[in-house]
């Protein structure tokens, strides 16, 4: 079990707050696949204070997703504090997470995201100011450092703890690395040894075995899964089973992958309307189809479609043709969730 402040998750598998991915449609699937803690995609503090419609929709929390962490970002103390206060008082989120890991220039240029990694004193000041005005637990997600010459992960995590933060998630890459190279799990281990609050490890966890290795290597309290879950919520289900029961469920059959992909799309349609949802779903379907024989051809078809029913028809036709080639079927039982 993972406990952050007064919030208890039923296991220590955490869904990373991926921008453009972690909306309620995908988050609910992750929860149904057993994930202990769900993190929503980051929201700008200024966008919250401006109250625009799209931003307010991003703050929606489905009761079935809980416990859920809602992530905010910003570089100005006054607006960050006010945004945190709004999330605390006007959303059903369980945890308020502050992003200090986002590496993209449009965020770092605003003194937000990974820019904080260069200044432990700013981290302590900003987190402390937020903690003072909210009741929900405050956590931070950060990277190991800005670049290989500025790796302050231990000092930064200690600053979070000193400020009253209830947990810290550490991605073992620097800002300069973005998503290239390898995550440094040694840095994550050093952070875990340096603070007493829960530490969640993130980076290069693509299989249940990776998650177990990270836990064994770093001693962290939780494992955060990001890109490994794209089009593959079974990664979450299989990791939970592997860590809690020592069993490794089989990979899903193609039919099951398509069934969940359609469920995902239908929830996205309900959330955003058919036109927006189908366009957005194209990238997800590319992930769901990854590794299946002949997937390239059906991806080409899907990328041209703009309506739900033709998309489902193309996927079902693809799966039926796969069924004519039993060599592609995998051993083991299908994973069915009710």
């Amino acid at each position: 079990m993972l406990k952050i402040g007064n919030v208890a998750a039923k296991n220590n598998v955490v869904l990373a707050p991926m921008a453009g991915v972690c909306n309620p449609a995908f988050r609910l699937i992750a929860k149904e696949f057993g994930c202990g803690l769900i993190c929503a995609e980051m929201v700008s503090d200024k966008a919250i204070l401006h109250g625009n419609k799209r931003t307010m929709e991003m703050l929606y929390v489905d009761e079935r997703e809980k416990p859920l962490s809602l992530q905010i970002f910003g570089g100005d103390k006054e607006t960050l504090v006010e945004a945190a206060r709004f999330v605390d008082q006007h959303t059903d989120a369980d945890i308020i997470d502050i992003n200090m890991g986002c590496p993209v220039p449009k965020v770092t240029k605003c003194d937000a995201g990974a820019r904080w990694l260069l200044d432990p004193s700013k981290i302590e000041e900003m987190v402390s100011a937020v903690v003072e005005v909210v009741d929900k637990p405050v956590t931070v997600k950060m990277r190991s450092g800005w670049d290989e010459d500025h790796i302050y992960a231990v000092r930064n995590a200690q600053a979070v703890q000193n400020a009253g933060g209830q947990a810290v998630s550490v991605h073992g890459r620097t800002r300069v690395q973005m998503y290239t190279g390898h995550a440094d799990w040694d840095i994550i281990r050093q952070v875990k040894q340096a603070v007493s609050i829960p530490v969640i490890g993130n980076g290069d966890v693509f299989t249940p075995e990776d998650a177990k290795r990270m836990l064994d290597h770093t001693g962290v309290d939780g494992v955060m899964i990001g890109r490994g879950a794209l089009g593959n919520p079974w990664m979450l289900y299989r990791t939970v089973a592997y860590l809690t029961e020592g069993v490794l469920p089989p990979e899903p059959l193609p039919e099951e992958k398509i069934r969940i992909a359609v469920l995902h799309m239908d929830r996205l349609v309900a959330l955003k309307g058919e036109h927006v949802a189908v366009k957005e779903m194209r990238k997800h379907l590319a992930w769901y189809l990854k590794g299946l024989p002949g997937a390239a051809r059906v991806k080409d078809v899907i990328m041209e479609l703009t309506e739900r029913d033709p998309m489902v028809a193309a996927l079902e036709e693809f799966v039926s043709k796969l069924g004519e080639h039993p060599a592609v079927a995998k051993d083991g039982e299908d994973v069915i969730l009710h």
Side-chain angles (χ1 to χ4, degrees):
M1 189 162 76
L2 175 65
K3 197 160 192 290
I4 297 173
N6 59 356
V7 178
K10 64 180 181 180
N11 59 61
N12 60 356
V13 176
V14 182
L15 178 69
M18 294 175 284
V21 172
C22 290
N23 52 50
F26 183 68
R27 295 191 321 240
L28 186 55
I29 288 172
K31 174 59 73 172
E32 290 166 343
F33 275 66
C35 202
L37 176 64
I38 306 294
C39 299
E41 59 188 314
M42 67 180 188
V43 184
S44 157
D45 58 350
K46 290 179 172 59
I48 291 172
L49 299 183
H50 290 150
N52 73 53
K53 183 172 179 289
R54 181 173 174 272
T55 299
M56 292 300 107
E57 288 170 354
M58 289 173 74
L59 299 180
Y60 170 74
V61 178
D62 187 314
E63 190 66 29
R64 294 170 293 175
E65 302 175 80
K66 293 163 71 70
L68 180 131
S69 169
L70 218 161
Q71 188 181 75
I72 60 176
F73 73 94
D76 178 80
K77 183 164 73 172
E78 186 177 324
T79 53
L80 190 74
V81 165
E82 287 309 307
R85 197 196 305 267
F86 183 90
V87 171
D88 189 54
Q89 297 177 1
H90 300 288
T91 78
D92 287 329
D94 301 283
I95 294 166
I96 299 170
D97 188 60
I98 300 172
N99 179 297
M100 45 182 262
C102 182
V104 301
K106 72 176 182 181
V107 171
T108 58
K109 282 178 183 173
C110 301
D111 279 338
R115 198 77 195 170
W116 291 31
L117 300 171
L118 292 165
D119 191 350
S121 62
K122 175 178 180 172
I123 291 168
E124 187 161 346
E125 178 190 357
M126 300 280 270
V127 175
S128 180
V130 170
V131 168
E132 282 180 20
V133 302
V134 302
D135 292 326
K136 300 181 194 293
V138 175
T139 62
V140 165
K141 183 171 192 291
M142 67 181 194
R143 284 177 171 248
S144 60
W146 181 260
D147 57 30
E148 62 180 18
D149 296 320
H150 301 85
I151 293 179
Y152 304 148
V154 169
R155 288 166 59 195
N156 289 341
Q158 289 171 333
V160 171
Q161 178 171 278
N162 293 343
Q166 298 285 307
V168 61
S169 302
V170 184
H171 183 165
R173 284 183 174 82
T174 64
R175 185 265 170 182
V176 168
Q177 278 183 279
M178 300 287 280
Y179 299 97
T180 63
H182 296 287
D184 186 344
W185 290 2
D186 290 340
I187 294 292
I188 299 173
R189 180 172 59 193
Q190 290 169 26
V191 170
K192 173 57 188 169
Q193 292 170 348
V195 297
S196 57
I197 58 175
V199 176
I200 298 167
N202 179 217
D204 291 351
V205 178
F206 294 105
T207 68
E209 294 93 333
D210 290 340
K212 178 75 163 59
R213 278 195 296 273
M214 174 178 272
L215 285 168
D216 292 343
H217 184 84
T218 65
V220 288
D221 303 277
V223 175
M224 182 173 278
I225 298 171
R227 289 176 294 161
L230 295 176
N232 187 20
W234 296 270
M235 166 59 182
L236 304 169
Y237 169 84
R238 298 175 75 239
T239 299
V240 171
Y242 189 61
L243 296 181
T244 58
E245 303 164 30
V247 298
L248 194 58
E251 294 275 10
L253 294 171
E255 294 87 349
E256 174 67 1
K257 295 188 85 166
I258 298 308
R259 185 179 76 82
I260 296 300
V262 171
L263 172 65
H264 187 169
M265 178 164 57
D266 286 343
R267 286 178 174 170
L268 211 51
V269 168
L271 194 67
K272 301 188 174 190
E274 183 174 21
H275 179 70
V276 173
V278 171
K279 280 182 71 175
E280 190 173 307
M281 197 64 201
R282 291 170 182 168
K283 66 182 179 186
H284 290 281
L285 288 171
W287 292 324
Y288 277 104
L289 292 164
K290 187 177 178 182
L292 295 180
R297 288 192 298 277
V298 74
K299 284 180 194 173
D300 289 341
V301 172
I302 282 166
M303 293 305 163
E304 302 299 321
L305 298 176
T306 57
E307 296 177 327
R308 183 261 182 203
D309 289 350
M311 190 83 90
V312 172
L315 292 169
E316 288 178 345
E317 182 184 3
F318 169 69
V319 169
S320 70
K321 287 181 178 176
L322 276 185
E324 296 167 10
H325 303 280
V328 304
K330 292 190 169 64
D331 294 333
E333 297 176 352
D334 200 357
V335 179
I336 306 289
L337 296 173
H338 299 286

